[in-house]
Amino acid sequence: MTIRKKMQPFKTYVLLPVIILISTILSSCSVSQPVITPDETIPPPSSPPPLPAEPAFPSGPVYTPGASAYIPSGVQAELFQYVLELINNDRRSAGVEPVTLNYNAAAQKHARDMFDNYFLAHWGTDGLKPYMRYTRQGGLGYEQENSAYAGWFNREDNPERYENIDPHEIIQRLEHSMMYDDAKSNWGHRDAIINKLHKKVNIGLVYDDKRLALVQQFEGDYVEYILPPTLLDNTLSLSGKIFLGRINNITICYDELPEPLEASQLVYGNYHQYTLGERVAYVIPPAPAGQFYRNLPPEAIQADIWSTNESGQFHIQADISYALNTGKGVYTIVIVADVDEESANLTNYSIFIE
């Protein structure tokens, strides 16, 4: 998309909001739990089975990742607050709660990458997608990213052909475009801005007098880990507490290992949208005693341990060898929860297997 404003002769202004299909992020890697059929029972033993023990939940301090924050200062800090103000104005207009400013460094790293390399895309020159960057910088929840770029775009151009920019004005125009002129992006930017499940936003902002790169990386904050998703000998383990809905399944998505990309590939290739990769498996609770799943597909893995309770505590462990047979790559662990009769992703946690 290109938006032009009145300028002096031979000078141009380019506004390129990115295409993002937010809905594909949710639908590409979430599933409904298979139905347990009560009429298909295992023949009862001669004596009643023992009562199951009360679920055991690991105890310990809440897991916090190593520091990877980007804290702005000076004028940049003021501009971060301005971006936050615009976002929350739009959220209030839509009748949803405001988000708070968070400082996961992935947003700033991507803004710097786009600025330094003159491109606009969700993928980076390192080949990472947004959720991969987010995890590597300590992100534990889920994320959805808006990216935008304005001003001098082609490094081969003479920068003097471009007007000097006012960062406040450019940021305001970008936000307005994402909210009210986003039909060509299927309103994905707007949906991310006013998503009621978003709690925080990480901002990336790099600019000079000719151009500006902006990233808004929204995230949820609904999981408190004691043990984040961890792989040991093909066994996936995770435990903690969720604060939204009830866990339906743990979906496992797969991407090939990222490879470096040239800026020209990112400008002209299909890198302006992203999903969480290919769903290769999902972990479900074992069937209750005396019952079994009917026609369970091979990618449905019954957990060895599935302990959950009404307060949100969970402890889940499963052998995911079937998923890992896909090979080296990035396995993204998605906690899928039932929230008001709908599915919601609570995590986009990537594990790299090289």
Side-chain angles (χ1 to χ4, degrees), residues 196 245 338-342:
K196 66 181 181 180
D338 294 325
V339 180
D340 298 329
E341 300 183 354
E342 295 183 358

Side-chain angles (χ1 to χ4, degrees), residues 17-21 122 147 184-186 189 271-274:
V18 76
I19 298 171
I20 177 172
L21 302 177
H122 284 303
S147 295
K184 290 184 178 179
S185 297
N186 199 31
H189 297 89
Y271 299 101
H272 294 163
Q273 56 186 341
Y274 68 104

Side-chain angles (χ1 to χ4, degrees), residues 25-291:
I25 298 173
L26 296 179
S27 63
S28 64
C29 255
S30 60
V31 315
S32 297
Q33 181 176 318
V35 175
I36 298 172
T37 54
D39 57 328
E40 297 186 9
T41 58
I42 300 171
S46 56
S47 59
L51 293 175
E54 286 293 316
F57 299 100
S59 60
V62 173
Y63 173 82
T64 53
S68 60
Y70 177 81
I71 309 297
S73 60
V75 175
Q76 189 185 46
E78 186 270 325
L79 289 172
F80 270 47
Q81 290 295 328
Y82 182 59
V83 175
L84 180 66
E85 177 185 340
L86 293 175
I87 289 170
N88 282 333
N89 285 343
D90 287 331
R91 289 178 66 85
R92 276 188 287 270
S93 296
V96 296
E97 294 295 316
V99 292
T100 58
L101 191 61
N102 199 31
Y103 299 98
N104 184 290
Q108 182 65 19
K109 284 180 175 291
H110 189 49
R112 170 58 66 182
D113 190 17
M114 292 195 302
F115 185 87
D116 288 348
N117 293 289
Y118 294 78
F119 74 91
L120 174 63
H122 284 303
W123 305 48
T125 55
D126 54 8
L128 295 178
K129 294 182 183 179
Y131 53 92
M132 299 176 188
R133 290 190 293 270
Y134 171 73
T135 299
R136 281 198 161 174
Q137 299 303 319
L140 296 174
Y142 73 86
E143 65 75 44
Q144 291 182 351
E145 180 186 274
N146 287 343
S147 295
Y149 186 110
W152 177 24
F153 191 72
N154 185 347
R155 71 172 75 202
E156 303 302 322
D157 284 348
N158 179 357
E160 296 307 314
R161 297 180 59 241
Y162 292 77
E163 273 193 347
N164 288 355
I165 66 170
D166 175 350
H168 291 84
E169 177 188 356
I170 298 301
I171 289 168
Q172 190 278 330
R173 286 175 177 267
L174 290 169
E175 178 70 16
H176 185 274
S177 178
M178 288 188 285
M179 273 295 297
Y180 302 106
D181 190 18
D182 199 40
K184 290 184 178 179
S185 297
N186 199 31
W187 300 100
H189 297 89
R190 180 199 62 184
D191 291 347
I193 291 169
I194 63 174
N195 188 323
K196 66 181 181 180
L197 296 182
H198 292 162
K199 292 291 188 181
K200 301 177 181 179
V201 62
N202 305 291
I203 294 170
L205 181 64
V206 183
Y207 69 98
D208 60 17
D209 59 353
K210 298 295 183 185
R211 56 203 181 98
L212 180 147
L214 173 67
V215 174
Q216 302 169 345
Q217 190 167 42
F218 296 93
E219 63 175 305
D221 187 19
Y222 298 107
V223 183
E224 194 174 77
Y225 282 113
I226 293 174
L227 177 68
T230 302
L231 271 178
L232 180 62
D233 296 331
N234 295 343
T235 296
L236 173 69
S237 302
L238 59 159
S239 61
K241 185 175 182 179
I242 66 169
F243 298 91
L244 181 69
R246 187 175 183 86
I247 297 177
N248 178 294
N249 70 85
I250 308 297
T251 293
I252 304 169
C253 305
Y254 171 81
D255 289 281
E256 294 182 355
L257 286 172
E259 295 183 355
L261 295 165
E262 298 292 334
S264 58
Q265 293 176 269
L266 293 165
V267 170
Y268 299 110
N270 187 29
Y271 299 101
H272 294 163
Q273 56 186 341
Y274 68 104
T275 69
L276 298 181
E278 174 191 2
R279 191 190 76 196
V280 292
Y282 53 99
V283 179
I284 58 175
Q291 296 179 307

